[in-house]
């Protein structure tokens, strides 16, 4: 390219290209206008536009039925109605009438154009409409704008830009101080005939224009916010790069990457122009910069990429062939990839759909090529480091029948018979692109469940060792904490006993300084600690909690946590158990997702109170049974915490919020098992007054015996007729009732819905809740880990 032949325009010129998805509706046109309003007014603005939405596809369909007059006219009529509606929704009435009239003239001329084989003039209609429509919209917003048909100045000769002729013509159509809205995709050849620049040719138009006006920047506005390490629709953990080297951008373009197309970068190579890729849907994002070597922009480091090519085939040619893959790509207007040479032959990879056209063109040049008629699916890996090896990836792909493998220092291409699933692509991305991530774990709560969780963590570390490191970065209880870069699981208890006192400010500051990703595992019963969740989330933490307090905070505080999760894009896995691990939440979720209506949930939510009331037979005072339970480790350190019923009240609120019911804790009627006043003072104070509890329970027990019933501490939520009522109380239950048929320490739930009455859900055995709860926390941890490493499913529950 001859730089001196270009038109001499301001070096501060900006070129902005908007694709069809950015112009698919009146709302999108308005969004584009807003973006342009925010550009620096002292810079010359050149705007390149594609056809609105799927207009080009509609025009191709009209061309395909050109011989069928009725079908052609029906399709033209439908397209005119669609585009006229777009014009009327975008512009004020007077301007809309003018643009709609011009559109009608263009479409009315289509039959004659098709009869004269002027197909490219028909295909130009979409871009011409976009340019006219956007320029009129900008005028409505008091900006000086004109529509420019690129065919008036852009000249190509044998698929190569004629820089001298194009620059001279462009100078005639340039108006100082004006926004030029230029049609993409279309140009003229050296004989003045309309030509198109191939699929996604508007990007090429933008960089051609950028070279002609010596633009400081060319911005490609698309529907993705950056150039990704892989297709983000298939690889959830694909990395959006803020910078990509020019060399790698050229490689991606040659490989048919959907963001950077085959010829996009060629006009700017060797210039000072910076290429930006940004999302018109997220204009606040800075996007991705493709900087020229030696430009004023800092150069980008080599990045790793995985890209795919569907339905490609191979051409084999002798190594002395004068024609290059680049020359064939220009002729086909399709990517043609020169694979690493093997033996005396050249091997080119190209879309199957244009293989016959390639053979015919080569034959005209007396070039013999052998076509491997097999259709392939290709996966390409662009290396961040020339020394990188693909041993693990090769082992993964062995089971998917690799047919050919081509590698050089910059890239490796595998050819397979069938496309890889998204799950396999994610594994490939993890192995080749992502460094082995380290997940920082902060574990709050080191009691029974916390100790069980940490004992299971050894197995979890081993399970994920090949893809992720689990680093225990903090363990704390209510009194002290050990904060360290890598706490050994075999020594956490010893280190915690030697730990220091902590404050919320110190802990949040420490967690904020940890590298991401990081997760707080809250196994405390503390309401004050749960109130810190928004600060932990702001510090970069995901939350996994068994703490009921977070879910049962006052509604305003609960919503504050939810809002923080949205703001900082973090997750909260609430593994709060309402019955020592019975999967009642999952059952409720499944019923709701199936469209059922929950009428009632009732049950015995406390294994401690279940044990006490099943054991209590009147043979000795109730307080003696409480003492037995305490000594057996079945109660809280102060059993009055169990007897108060508040824990059961919180569990019922958890289920209510699971069902979307807007209840507060005080909305749930509570009848404690503990007589009023006995909650005050110390345990010793209570023990001196225990006869009050014993007398009350003995009287209730006697009354139940008289009527043939048993005592159960029951929580119930009723949702009849759109009204919620909830209570927690000691009840007399008939012997045949589901809640009566339990053994000591069992938890049981009964669910009634519109079409479903659950058999009682029961969990048996002392200590079962501790193991199941810790296992549930690990299941949530596994889900989070699999999301981080890009796997679709979680491992089985650890128990």
């Amino acid at each position: 390219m001859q730089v001196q032949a270009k038109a001499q325009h301001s070096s501060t010129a900006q070129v902005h290209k908007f694709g069809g998805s950015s112009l698919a509706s009146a709302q999108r046109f308005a969004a584009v206008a807003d973006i342009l309003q925010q550009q620096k007014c002292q810079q010359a603005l050149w705007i390149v536009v594609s056809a609105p939405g799927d207009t080009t596809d509609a025009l191709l369909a009209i061309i395909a039925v050109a011989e069928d007059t009725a079908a052609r006219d029906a399709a033209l009529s439908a397209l005119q109605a669609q585009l006229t509606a777009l014009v009327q929704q975008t512009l004020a009435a007077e301007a809309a009438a003018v643009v709609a009239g011009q559109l009608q003239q263009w479409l009315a001329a289509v039959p004659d154009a098709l009869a004269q084989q002027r197909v490219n003039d028909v295909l130009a209609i979409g871009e011409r409409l976009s340019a006219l429509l956007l320029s009129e919209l900008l005028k409505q917003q008091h900006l000086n704008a004109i529509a420019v048909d690129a065919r008036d100045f852009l000249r190509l000769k044998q698929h190569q830009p004629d820089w001298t002729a194009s620059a001279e013509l462009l100078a005639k159509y340039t108006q100082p101080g004006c926004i030029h809205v230029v049609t993409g995709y279309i140009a003229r050849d050296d004989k003045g005939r309309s030509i198109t620049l191939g699929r996604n040719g508007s990007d090429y138009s933008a960089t051609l224009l950028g070279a002609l006006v010596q633009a400081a920047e060319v911005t490609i506005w698309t529907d993705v916010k950056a150039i990704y390490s892989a297709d983000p629709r298939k690889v959830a953990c694909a990395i959006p790069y803020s910078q990509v080297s020019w060399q790698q951008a050229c490689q991606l373009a040659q490989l048919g990457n959907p963001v950077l197309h085959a010829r996009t970068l060629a006009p700017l190579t060797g210039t000072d122009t910076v290429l930006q890729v940004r999302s018109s849907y997220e204009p606040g994002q800075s996007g991705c910069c493709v900087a020229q070597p030696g430009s004023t922009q800092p150069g980008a480091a080599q990045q790793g990429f995985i890209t795919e090519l569907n339905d490609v085939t191979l051409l084999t040619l002798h190594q002395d062939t004068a024609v290059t893959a680049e020359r064939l790509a220009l002729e086909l207007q399709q990517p043609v990839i020169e694979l690493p040479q093997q033996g005396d032959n050249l091997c080119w990879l190209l879309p199957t759909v244009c293989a016959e056209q390639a053979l015919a063109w080569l034959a005209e040049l007396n070039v013999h090529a052998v076509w491997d008629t097999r259709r392939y699916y290709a996966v390409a890996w662009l290396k961040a480091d020339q020394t990188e090896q693909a041993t693990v990836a090769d082992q993964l792909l062995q089971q998917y029948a690799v047919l050919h493998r081509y590698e050089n220092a910059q890239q490796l291409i595998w050819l397979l018979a069938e496309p890889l699933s998204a799950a396999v692509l994610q594994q490939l991305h993890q192995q080749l692109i992502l460094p082995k991530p380290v997940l920082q774990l902060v574990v709050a709560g080191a009691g029974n469940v916390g100790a069980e969780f940490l004992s299971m963590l050894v197995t979890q570390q081993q399970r994920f060792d090949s893809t992720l490191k689990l680093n225990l970065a903090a363990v704390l209880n209510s009194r002290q904490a050990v904060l360290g870069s890598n706490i050994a699981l075999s020594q956490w208890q010893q280190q915690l006993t030697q730990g220091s006192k902590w404050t919320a400010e110190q802990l949040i500051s420490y967690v904020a300084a940890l590298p991401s990703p990081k997760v707080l595992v809250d196994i405390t019963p503390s309401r004050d600690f749960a109130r810190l969740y928004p600060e932990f989330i702001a510090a970069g933490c995901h939350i996994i909690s068994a703490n009921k307090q977070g879910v049962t905070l006052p509604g305003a505080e609960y919503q504050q946590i939810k809002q923080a999760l949205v703001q900082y894009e973090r997750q909260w896995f609430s593994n709060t158990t309402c019955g020592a691990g019975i999967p009642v939440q999952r059952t409720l979720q499944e019923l709701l997702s199936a469209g059922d209506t929950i009428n009632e949930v009732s049950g015995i939510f406390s294994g401690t109170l279940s044990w006490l009331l099943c054991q209590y037979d009147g043979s000795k005072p109730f307080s003696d049974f409480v003492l037995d339970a305490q000594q057996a480790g079945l109660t809280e350190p102060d059993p009055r915490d169990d007897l108060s019923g508040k824990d059961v009240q919180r569990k019922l609120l958890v289920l209510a919020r699971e069902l979307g019911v807007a209840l507060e804790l005080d909305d749930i009627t509570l009848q404690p098992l503990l007589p009023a006043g006995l909650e005050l003072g110390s345990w010793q104070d209570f023990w001196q007054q225990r006869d009050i509890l014993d007398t009350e329970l003995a009287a209730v027990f006697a009354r139940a015996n008289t009527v043939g019933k048993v005592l159960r501490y029951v929580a119930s939520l009723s949702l009849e007729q759109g009204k919620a009522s909830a209570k927690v109380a000691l009840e007399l239950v008939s012997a045949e009732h589901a809640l009566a048929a339990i053994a000591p320490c069992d938890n049981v739930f009964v669910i009634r819905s519109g079409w479903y009455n659950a058999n009682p859900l029961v969990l048996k055995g002392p200590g079962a809740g501790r193991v199941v709860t810790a296992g549930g926390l690990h299941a949530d941890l596994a889900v989070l880990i699999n999301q981080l490493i890009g796997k679709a499913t979680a491992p089985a529950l650890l128990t």
Side-chain angles (χ1 to χ4, degrees):
M1 182 178 66
Q2 297 179 348
V3 176
Q4 65 270 23
K6 300 178 205 167
Q8 298 302 308
H9 290 273
S10 168
S11 62
T12 60
Q14 302 284 321
V15 176
H16 296 265
K17 177 265 175 178
F18 295 93
S21 62
S22 297
L23 300 166
S25 66
Q27 292 77 17
R28 296 309 311 156
F29 268 89
V32 168
D34 288 343
I35 290 171
L36 297 177
Q37 285 276 12
Q38 296 168 21
Q39 303 307 309
K40 297 177 181 178
C41 58
Q42 69 269 28
Q43 295 178 332
L45 290 183
W46 296 79
I47 316 304
V48 177
V49 290
S50 298
D54 59 358
T55 301
T56 301
D57 288 336
L59 291 168
L60 287 168
I62 290 168
I63 293 167
V65 297
E67 303 299 324
D68 185 339
T69 304
R72 179 201 66 197
D73 291 346
L76 273 169
S77 178
L79 181 60
Q80 180 170 330
Q82 175 187 332
L83 295 180
T84 300
L86 172 63
V87 172
Q88 292 171 342
Q89 293 163 10
T90 303
L91 298 176
E94 185 176 350
V98 173
V99 174
Q102 180 63 75
L103 171 66
Q104 184 177 8
Q105 292 180 30
W106 289 336
L107 293 176
V110 166
D112 287 343
L114 292 176
Q116 298 168 27
Q117 301 297 310
R118 291 186 290 110
V119 170
N120 291 330
D121 287 329
V122 174
L123 290 174
I125 291 173
E127 278 69 22
R128 295 175 75 188
L129 174 62
S130 285
L132 181 58
L133 185 51
L134 182 57
S135 65
E136 290 297 323
L137 179 58
L138 293 175
K139 288 178 186 177
Q140 279 187 188
Q141 299 182 359
H142 311 293
L143 294 173
N144 186 15
I146 59 169
V148 180
D149 189 330
R151 295 176 299 176
D152 290 339
F153 69 87
L154 190 55
R155 295 290 179 269
L156 273 73
K157 187 175 182 178
Q158 295 181 346
H159 303 295
Q160 296 286 3
D162 185 335
W163 297 108
T164 302
S166 297
E168 291 174 353
L169 289 168
L170 180 60
K172 297 178 181 179
Y173 289 95
T174 301
Q175 296 185 18
C178 186
I179 299 174
H180 299 78
V181 186
V182 183
T183 56
Y185 178 59
I186 55 177
R188 292 194 188 278
D189 62 16
D190 55 331
K191 295 182 173 59
R193 296 172 298 196
S194 292
I195 58 173
T196 64
L197 304 181
R199 278 292 188 178
N200 304 299
S202 293
D203 289 0
Y204 186 37
S205 299
T207 53
L208 286 169
L209 181 60
L212 285 168
V213 302
Q214 295 182 314
E217 288 186 355
V218 173
T219 302
I220 306 293
W221 293 90
T222 181
D223 55 359
V224 294
K225 65 181 180 182
I227 301 173
Y228 282 81
S229 57
D231 186 344
R233 295 166 299 182
K234 296 181 180 179
V235 179
C237 56
I239 303 168
Y241 292 129
S242 59
Q243 281 196 321
V244 172
S245 73
W246 194 267
Q247 176 195 10
Q248 285 195 305
C250 290
Q251 286 180 282
L252 283 171
Q254 292 166 1
L255 288 168
N257 182 274
V259 177
L260 294 173
H261 300 286
R263 289 187 287 167
T264 299
L265 285 92
L268 301 180
T269 300
T271 72
D272 292 331
T273 304
V274 174
L275 182 69
Q276 300 275 356
V277 176
R278 298 179 66 182
S279 170
S280 62
Y281 291 82
E282 299 180 77
Q285 298 286 336
S286 58
C288 181
C289 171
V290 185
Q292 300 270 8
S295 73
T296 56
Q297 293 285 331
Q302 292 288 102
Q303 311 283 17
F305 295 90
I306 289 177
T307 191
E308 303 170 85
L309 299 92
N310 282 300
D311 198 9
V312 289
T313 193
L314 290 170
L315 292 184
T316 303
L317 306 89
H318 193 271
Q319 64 177 350
D320 294 331
T321 300
V323 179
T324 64
E326 181 182 7
R327 181 69 184 88
L328 179 58
L330 283 172
E331 179 65 30
L332 300 175
Q333 297 188 29
Q334 294 281 356
V336 177
I337 301 152
E338 185 172 359
L339 298 170
Q341 187 169 342
Q342 297 181 343
D344 294 335
N345 294 320
L346 303 176
C347 202
W348 295 348
L349 192 67
L350 69 161
T352 303
V353 68
C354 59
E356 292 185 356
Q357 180 186 351
L359 288 172
W361 183 77
L362 290 169
E364 290 178 4
L365 301 176
N366 294 318
V367 174
H368 177 67
V370 177
W371 177 20
D372 176 354
T373 56
R374 182 162 190 165
R375 295 184 171 196
Y376 296 100
Y377 162 83
V379 180
W381 170 39
L382 269 64
K383 303 176 183 180
D385 181 346
Q386 294 188 6
T387 64
E388 289 181 303
Q389 299 295 317
T391 306
V392 178
D394 283 329
Q395 292 172 351
L396 170 66
L397 293 178
Q398 278 179 356
Q399 57 188 305
Y400 298 101
V402 175
L403 302 174
H404 299 284
R405 183 183 185 277
Y406 301 89
E407 183 175 14
N408 60 24
Q410 289 78 38
Q411 67 186 32
L412 193 162
I413 296 176
W414 294 275
L415 299 187
L416 299 92
E418 300 291 338
L420 296 176
S421 68
V424 177
L425 280 172
Q426 289 182 67
Q427 291 182 57
L428 200 63
H429 184 270
Q430 169 64 34
Q431 293 169 353
L432 296 176
I433 308 299
L434 294 180
K436 186 175 178 180
V438 178
L439 178 59
Q440 308 290 342
L441 288 177
V442 176
V443 179
N448 289 336
V449 176
E452 193 74 45
F453 174 85
L454 289 166
S455 72
M456 293 180 178
L457 190 56
V458 176
T459 304
Q460 198 79 299
Q461 282 183 326
Q462 294 170 349
R463 173 169 289 176
F464 286 103
D465 183 62
S466 62
T467 53
L468 175 140
K469 180 182 178 183
L470 285 172
N471 178 45
L472 184 58
V475 179
L476 60 138
N477 56 28
S478 61
R479 300 172 302 281
Q480 57 218 64
V482 53
L483 311 177
S485 59
N486 193 354
I487 301 168
L489 285 175
S490 60
Q491 299 175 13
W492 72 265
Q493 289 167 310
Q494 177 185 351
Q495 289 180 262
L496 184 58
T497 60
Q498 300 170 0
S500 304
K501 290 184 178 180
W502 58 274
T503 65
E505 292 76 15
Q506 291 170 339
L507 182 60
I508 297 295
S509 177
Y510 171 76
V511 170
L514 290 173
S516 292
K518 46 196 165 185
V519 58
L520 167 68
V521 183
D522 179 12
I523 321 176
T524 74
S526 169
R527 172 159 289 214
D528 288 339
F529 195 80
R531 286 195 165 108
L532 297 174
Y533 284 1
E535 294 179 65
F536 279 111
I537 294 165
C541 276
H542 300 280
I543 307 287
I544 297 175
S545 65
N547 185 355
K548 302 176 185 66
Q549 300 287 355
V551 191
T552 59
L553 285 170
E557 293 183 73
Y558 178 69
Q559 290 304 319
Q560 186 183 5
I561 298 172
K562 294 283 192 178
Q563 290 164 8
L565 293 168
V566 173
Q567 179 181 353
Y568 294 100
E569 298 181 344
R570 293 296 181 266
Q571 296 189 74
W572 180 14
F573 297 88
S574 178
N575 203 279
T576 296
T577 59
C578 295
I582 295 178
V584 64
Q585 286 109 313
R586 187 171 71 239
T587 303
L588 294 177
Q589 291 164 359
E590 290 171 352
L591 288 172
L592 291 175
S593 66
D596 199 4
T597 301
I598 306 298
N599 298 324
E600 180 185 351
V601 179
S602 60
I604 295 169
F605 291 18
S606 169
T608 301
L609 298 183
S610 170
W611 188 92
L612 286 169
L613 293 173
C614 284
Q615 293 285 13
Y616 181 49
D617 57 4
S619 62
K620 61 181 181 180
F622 184 76
S623 58
D624 286 355
F625 288 95
V626 173
L627 187 60
D628 292 342
Q630 183 189 41
Q631 293 173 346
L634 299 177
T635 71
E636 296 295 330
D638 187 335
R640 291 177 297 173
D641 293 339
D642 298 295
L643 299 175
S644 71
K646 290 181 179 179
D647 186 53
V648 176
Q649 187 186 32
R650 283 192 292 268
K651 291 176 178 179
L652 190 60
L653 182 57
V654 170
L655 295 186
R657 287 186 171 169
E658 189 75 52
L659 294 171
V661 179
L663 283 183
E664 298 291 350
L665 196 63
D666 291 341
D667 295 328
I668 300 174
T669 303
L670 173 64
Q671 179 197 348
L673 203 60
L674 192 69
L678 294 188
E679 75 279 6
L680 303 174
S682 66
W683 173 250
Q684 289 72 21
D685 295 334
F686 160 77
W687 198 248
Q688 291 175 3
Q689 305 176 72
R690 65 186 183 279
D691 58 313
I692 300 174
L693 172 64
D694 294 336
T695 301
E696 285 198 13
L697 262 294
V700 178
F701 180 78
R703 187 164 69 251
N705 259 348
T706 301
V707 294
K709 295 186 176 183
V710 296
L711 298 181
R712 296 293 182 263
Y713 197 69
V714 179
S716 61
L717 173 67
S718 175
L719 302 172
E720 296 289 349
Q721 299 178 344
K723 293 183 179 180
S725 61
K727 67 175 182 177
V728 174
L730 181 65
E731 294 187 5
L732 278 61
V733 178
S734 60
E736 62 272 10
H737 195 283
L739 298 181
I742 64 172
C745 278
D746 286 0
N747 293 87
V748 61
F749 287 81
V750 177
I751 302 169
R752 292 186 174 85
S753 67
W755 46 263
Y756 178 83
N757 287 325
N759 292 323
L761 306 174
V762 180
L763 182 74
K764 299 180 180 294
R770 179 181 69 247
V771 176
V772 174
T773 301
L777 291 168
H778 271 287
D780 285 343
L781 179 61
V783 171
L784 179 61
I785 290 171
N786 280 318
Q787 291 175 356
L788 293 172
I789 64 177
K791 288 186 178 179
T793 57
L797 182 71
L798 288 176
T799 56

